Amino acid sequence: MFMFPDPSKLKRQEDMKVDTGGARIYDIAVVSDTRLLVIVNNKRVILVNSQTGGTVAKITLKGDPHSVCMFNNIMAVVTLNDKSLQLININGDSLDLGRSFRLNGYVWGVARSEDRLIVSYCGGSPPGFEVLSMDGRVIHTFSNQEAGVDVFKWPFFISTSAAGMVYVSDVHTSTITQLDSNLHVIRTYSDPILQEPYGIICVSADQVLVCSHGNHRILLLCPSTGGITSILGEQDGIKKPVALTYSPSQKKLYVVPNEKSGRIQVFQQQ
């Protein structure tokens, strides 16, 4: 079973610098051992050489992207600020626009769950989620109104585990919530060390990494115990992290700070 490396063995490498045209990076995803997909708030998605940070290909979207997930190594799914979802085909070293479809509100997070997608709504729409087919058909929904309680205020980023669990960061309540694949709430995790969670990724069955934006930390959540520990902080150069991704084959963790520099921090197991 894959386990995230011992945090004490994570060593900071040279930062990667991506040419974003002065725009902020909102999210990133691993495509392969040598490619990252970077989404920026100037209507661009950039395919990047993960060894050098150099641009391999880029494509312009109809709106500013918010979040990205890989459906497989040849297709990415991106949420846009115009209440739509855009599929992007990755053909070697080129990017092509695929299908797009309208959604039912102001969408932010997106994650894959087997052959389906899960999206989160916040901001200009009531907080909630939908499970979608790949052609945009709604399969399941969840909202605070349907639950009868205010479970979420601002569900931001989403990640799914191999076991089918869904993890959601809520930036306004400073919590992480676990749901099953049918969007039933299982448990909500909170801790004083968790402040304004942004990006979130499942790295194993019982390990979830979280960007704690409010106190400049990368946290490790173990869902089985509820324990939340800090693995990287300001002493490691972490400053207002907004997104992260991990490459198991390279044993590299990529972290995006909240700035317009195009910088991606790289940490590798030694």
Side-chain angles (χ1 to χ4, degrees), residues 12-242:
R12 187 172 178 181
Q13 309 297 300
E14 183 179 354
D15 290 351
M16 184 186 307
K17 196 71 176 296
V18 179
D19 182 7
T20 64
R24 294 183 190 275
I25 298 174
Y26 274 2
D27 205 2
I28 52 175
V30 173
V31 176
S32 70
D33 284 351
T34 60
R35 297 290 183 263
L36 285 177
L37 202 63
V38 179
I39 71 167
V40 294
N41 68 335
N42 62 354
K43 301 183 179 181
R44 294 288 179 86
V45 172
I46 306 173
L47 186 64
V48 169
N49 183 317
S50 58
Q51 309 300 316
T52 67
T55 297
V56 177
K58 57 186 175 182
I59 196 166
T60 301
L61 308 176
K62 60 183 178 180
D64 284 334
H66 283 162
S67 186
V68 62
C69 75
M70 296 299 300
F71 194 79
N72 49 46
N73 65 345
I74 59 171
M75 187 171 70
V77 184
V78 177
T79 59
L80 301 181
N81 67 349
D82 66 348
K83 301 182 180 181
S84 70
L85 188 150
Q86 176 69 57
L87 306 185
I88 297 176
N89 298 315
I90 304 170
N91 300 310
D93 286 343
S94 67
L95 300 175
D96 300 301
L97 294 179
R99 292 197 314 271
S100 67
F101 44 86
R102 300 287 296 177
L103 299 176
N104 293 320
Y106 191 79
V107 66
W108 194 283
V110 60
R112 176 187 178 181
S113 178
E114 297 182 340
D115 60 346
R116 305 177 300 177
L117 297 171
I118 300 175
V119 295
S120 66
Y121 295 101
C122 59
S125 299
F129 306 87
E130 287 181 337
V131 179
L132 307 172
S133 66
M134 290 303 295
D135 59 2
R137 179 173 56 88
V138 177
I139 300 171
H140 297 292
T141 63
F142 172 93
S143 69
N144 284 344
Q145 290 82 1
E146 292 172 358
V149 293
D150 288 336
V151 180
F152 298 98
K153 289 187 177 180
W154 197 289
F156 221 19
F157 286 89
I158 310 173
S159 186
T160 52
S161 73
M165 293 294 104
V166 182
Y167 295 89
V168 182
S169 61
D170 192 316
V171 67
H172 282 186
T173 62
S174 289
T175 58
I176 303 296
T177 296
Q178 179 191 49
L179 305 92
D180 66 19
S181 58
N182 291 318
L183 303 182
H184 299 126
V185 175
I186 305 298
R187 182 177 178 181
T188 294
Y189 304 90
S190 62
D191 190 283
I193 202 173
L194 180 63
Q195 298 179 21
E196 298 179 7
Y198 276 53
I200 181 170
I201 55 167
C202 297
V203 292
S204 77
D206 197 35
Q207 295 177 308
V208 181
L209 294 180
V210 184
C211 289
S212 188
H213 181 269
N215 60 354
H216 319 295
R217 296 175 184 265
I218 303 299
L219 304 179
L220 176 63
L221 163 66
C222 295
S224 62
T225 66
I228 302 176
T229 57
S230 177
I231 65 168
L232 294 170
E234 285 189 271
Q235 72 277 7
D236 304 295
I238 300 297
K239 182 72 172 179
K240 293 188 179 298
V242 295

